[in-house]
Amino acid sequence: MKLVRVGEPGKEQPGIELNNGRRFNVSGFGEDFTEQFFATQGLTRLQSWLNNQTTLPEFPESARYGVPFLRPSKIICVGLNYKEHAAESGLPVPSQPVLFMKATSSIVGPNDNIMIPKGSTKTDWEVELGVVIGKKAHHVSVESALDYVAGYVLHNDYSEREFQLEMEGQWVKGKSCDTFAPLGPYLVTPEDCPDPQDLDIWLELNGERLQHSNTNDMIFTVAEQISYISQFMTLLPGDVISTGTPQGVGLGFTPPRYLKAGDIVQLGITGLGTSSQTAIPYSNNKEV
């Protein structure tokens, strides 16, 4: 199943997308895709409801994709989790997952604009596989970890490298700027994405392919990441784990390459769709 939320910012309605790309409104189910929805076996209940429907209203083809689920309690990111990305960063392969947080206020729809932060000259791109948690996870084993997954989502983990690496303190400053977490276009449930460790992953800047890898290059698998993180914090339904980016980020070029206004970033993952963001200058109006 593919979950979508469609409509203008703040007015999105829940839906499903079929493999032919048609999107149908499921507001009649009576729930949006919230933490409570996932925590109460919402996916199973939604499927049962759908089995009893003969017709559903269809979203217009041109209607905007929103984030495919409502704001999670947290986004946990795993850094340096692809072997070749660690190498291009000039850093050793980590012996344990490198964890940092990303503010949920950075979340936007998959095709919304990416706003270059005020004073930024080093805004970078990072295509990543996002894992959405389906039920409360605390001290779970690697063997059972995938049982806690509600689905998978495409994520561009934008980063401001000066804020992240050149200013003192934690990485969160360079990861949490407004618009720095486009998610979607849809959440794909595990039955339609049975092996998260064999997905092609790619990103293009103005039509030039800069990142292209496969999730089999991860240092720590999705299951290992879920298990590891759950040893330190409780993962709640709807939480997102962003599982790292492959080589080809702007920081890794000589000289480094960063976004400027007008640039178009396109990205995708096998089975999880594609997204596109246009870089725009800073504005104090968040509705951009």
Side-chain angles (χ1 to χ4, degrees):
M1 187 187 304
K2 296 177 181 176
L3 302 187
V4 296
R5 297 178 69 254
V6 177
E8 294 306 306
K11 299 179 181 179
E12 297 92 343
Q13 294 180 297
I16 59 168
E17 180 163 329
L18 304 184
N19 289 334
N20 61 11
R22 296 175 68 185
R23 301 176 295 173
F24 293 91
N25 190 323
V26 299
S27 294
F29 178 62
E31 299 177 42
D32 209 335
F33 304 140
T34 63
E35 177 182 333
Q36 181 69 11
F37 168 83
F38 292 115
T40 57
Q41 298 186 318
L43 290 170
T44 300
R45 293 186 293 105
L46 175 60
Q47 185 61 67
S48 297
W49 181 83
L50 289 169
N51 292 341
N52 293 312
Q53 305 306 304
T54 55
T55 60
L56 291 171
E58 188 168 0
F59 290 115
E61 186 175 344
S62 61
R64 168 186 173 271
Y65 280 103
V67 181
F69 46 94
L70 286 177
R71 183 180 291 178
S73 78
K74 52 188 172 291
I75 305 172
I76 310 99
C77 300
V78 180
L80 302 173
N81 195 41
Y82 283 72
K83 302 178 186 72
E84 294 187 22
H85 176 51
E88 75 174 348
S89 300
L91 297 169
V93 172
S95 60
Q96 297 185 48
V98 175
L99 304 184
F100 59 92
M101 307 293 282
K102 193 175 183 88
T104 59
S105 56
S106 64
I107 295 174
V108 291
N111 302 312
D112 293 347
N113 292 329
I114 161 68
M115 184 171 64
I116 297 173
K118 185 177 182 179
S120 168
T121 59
K122 298 181 179 180
T123 295
D124 204 347
W125 53 85
E126 295 189 21
V127 59
E128 304 202 7
L129 170 66
V131 179
V132 181
I133 298 300
K135 57 185 179 180
K136 187 179 291 188
H138 181 66
H139 285 281
V140 303
S141 68
V142 173
E143 292 73 21
S144 67
L146 295 185
D147 296 337
Y148 291 80
V149 174
Y152 301 95
V153 66
L154 176 63
H155 177 216
N156 197 341
D157 175 26
Y158 282 106
S159 309
E160 213 297 334
R161 301 303 190 187
E162 180 182 0
F163 301 174
Q164 177 193 1
L165 301 173
E166 299 175 32
M167 294 182 176
E168 293 182 2
Q170 300 294 318
W171 287 2
V172 66
K173 297 193 300 293
K175 295 288 187 172
S176 298
C177 303
D178 293 344
T179 75
F180 267 29
L183 291 168
Y186 30 73
L187 180 151
V188 178
T189 53
E191 66 269 17
D192 290 328
C193 185
D195 186 1
Q197 300 308 147
D198 187 22
L199 303 174
D200 284 335
I201 181 170
W202 59 269
L203 180 144
E204 295 178 350
L205 175 63
N206 299 325
E208 178 186 3
R209 184 154 294 195
L210 299 181
Q211 292 187 274
H212 193 188
S213 187
N214 188 284
T215 55
N216 61 20
D217 188 51
M218 285 185 184
I219 297 166
F220 303 102
T221 66
V222 168
E224 288 169 336
Q225 292 177 59
I226 295 170
S227 175
Y228 182 84
I229 295 168
S230 78
Q231 311 307 308
F232 303 100
M233 67 189 81
T234 297
L235 296 168
L236 298 177
D239 282 355
V240 178
I241 298 174
S242 199
T243 59
T245 196
Q247 75 282 4
V249 300
L251 178 66
F253 286 90
T254 305
R257 299 172 62 175
Y258 296 117
L259 290 180
K260 60 185 184 301
D263 284 344
I264 298 174
V265 182
Q266 296 173 298
L267 56 149
I269 297 177
T270 304
L272 304 188
T274 61
S275 68
S276 178
Q277 299 96 43
T278 299
I280 63 169
Y282 171 78
S283 168
N284 62 7
N285 176 13
K286 278 202 66 176
E287 301 299 329
V288 292

